[in-house]
Amino acid sequence: MGKGIMKEEKGEIVTIDGPSGVGKSSLSRQVATALGYTYLDTGAMYRAVGLFLRNLQVDLDDEQEVAAALAGFNLQLFPATEKDGDVGVVVNGQEVGRAIRTSEMGMLASRVSAIPTVRSQLTTMQQAIGLQGKIVAEGRDTGTVVFPSARWKFYLEADPSERARRRGAQLRAAGQGVDSQEVLEMIIKRDRDDQSRAIAPLQKADDAIVIDTSFLDIDEVCRKMLAVVQGK
Ligand code: DC
């Protein structure tokens, strides 16, 4: 492999992985804005597939049916318009908006993310986006599978009860009814499923920097990450 290609692969990519509710989305947005990079929300892509397959009532246990349905799946991502906004997700010409941001859609995304054909198609799309460089990619496998040669990798973790508290606050702020115990149970189940699936499970890349965000606010974590990326 030529030197040029190695440089390209090592492109300016920051990966941020970790379980749900650890602060990945807010941090990814903030780090991307500070660096002038594009924020790639890979979870939104799995959520969009979940919504698409659910609307078509596809049998998720039938991989051939899933693959056939995905042949008609067209996804476009648009940068967030406001500072704290989500990325725009358009499926087959239709903006999905907040419909993919519920806890149920998080669980469904986790379910479809274990289907091999879904993973390989989304991974290919993510890698194509990564070729542009200057990306902050957020997800479960961005440092291990999607961008193993990324220059900066972070793995965030936090106590499950703190993550459930944050996720509950986010859902309340979005006007959704929240049962705190249920949120905690969903987080624990989703972690277990994401960590135990056969393909691209949630795990720390060997070369990722681990940050426990349980007792740190977003700004402090962001400062730490920027210090690493900017070499301060
Ligand atoms: O980050 P999120 O909550 O939007 O992700 C929803 C689900 O999608 C998550 O529980 C597992 C799956 N996912 C994945 O398997 N790989 C990724 N890179 C991102 C998300």
Side-chain angles (χ1 to χ4, degrees):
M1 197 178 284
K3 259 189 175 168
I5 295 174
M6 281 303 289
K7 189 158 177 273
E8 182 94 355
E9 279 191 350
K10 266 278 182 204
E12 291 157 309
I13 294 182
V14 180
T15 62
I16 304 182
D17 291 307
S20 59
V22 84
K24 292 190 305 296
S25 301
S26 311
L27 278 161
S28 303
R29 265 192 298 258
Q30 213 162 307
V31 168
T33 304
L35 295 172
Y37 284 18
T38 302
Y39 164 41
L40 175 61
D41 179 357
T42 63
M45 299 168 80
Y46 287 97
R47 288 169 182 262
V49 169
L51 180 68
F52 174 77
L53 295 176
R54 193 190 66 183
N55 287 346
L56 288 179
Q57 300 189 328
V58 170
D59 176 1
L60 299 180
D61 290 321
D62 182 340
E63 193 162 355
Q64 281 190 347
E65 199 181 322
V66 172
L70 283 182
F73 175 75
N74 179 275
L75 178 69
Q76 292 167 286
L77 298 173
F78 295 95
T81 44
E82 328 137 31
K83 184 173 161 280
D84 295 321
D86 293 317
V87 296
V89 179
V90 174
V91 174
N92 293 355
Q94 272 209 313
E95 168 82 54
V96 298
R98 304 292 312 163
I100 58 166
R101 299 292 171 186
T102 62
S103 304
E104 288 69 28
M105 290 309 301
M107 298 303 280
L108 183 59
S110 175
R111 167 102 163 78
V112 302
S113 75
I115 304 174
T117 184
V118 172
R119 283 220 85 80
S120 70
Q121 293 196 31
L122 291 191
T123 300
T124 302
M125 281 179 73
Q126 291 155 13
Q127 288 171 335
I129 295 169
L131 288 178
Q132 301 160 14
K134 295 195 186 302
I135 297 277
V136 176
E138 177 223 324
R140 303 293 185 288
D141 63 340
T142 63
T144 50
V145 173
V146 186
F147 301 119
S149 310
R151 190 170 302 177
W152 303 283
K153 296 182 186 179
F154 296 94
Y155 186 87
L156 305 182
E157 51 192 20
D159 185 65
S161 55
E162 173 58 17
R163 292 193 279 122
R165 191 193 64 72
R166 291 177 191 168
R167 182 43 56 96
Q170 260 172 11
L171 293 170
R172 267 183 217 104
Q176 296 176 37
V178 174
D179 174 331
S180 301
Q181 185 56 30
E182 203 179 307
V183 173
L184 178 60
E185 281 164 17
M186 279 188 177
I187 279 198
I188 291 171
K189 171 164 173 31
R190 192 133 71 96
D191 287 357
R192 201 176 45 230
D193 292 349
D194 290 345
Q195 281 163 346
S196 64
R197 67 171 173 241
I199 315 169
L202 165 63
Q203 61 184 21
K204 182 189 104 53
D206 289 340
D207 50 351
I209 294 174
V210 179
I211 303 179
D212 186 329
T213 69
S214 306
F215 306 106
L216 297 172
D217 71 26
I218 294 285
D219 290 340
E220 279 173 281
V221 183
C222 184
R223 270 197 299 278
K224 276 179 188 277
M225 294 170 97
L226 288 174
V228 171
V229 175
Q230 294 168 329
K232 288 179 200 154

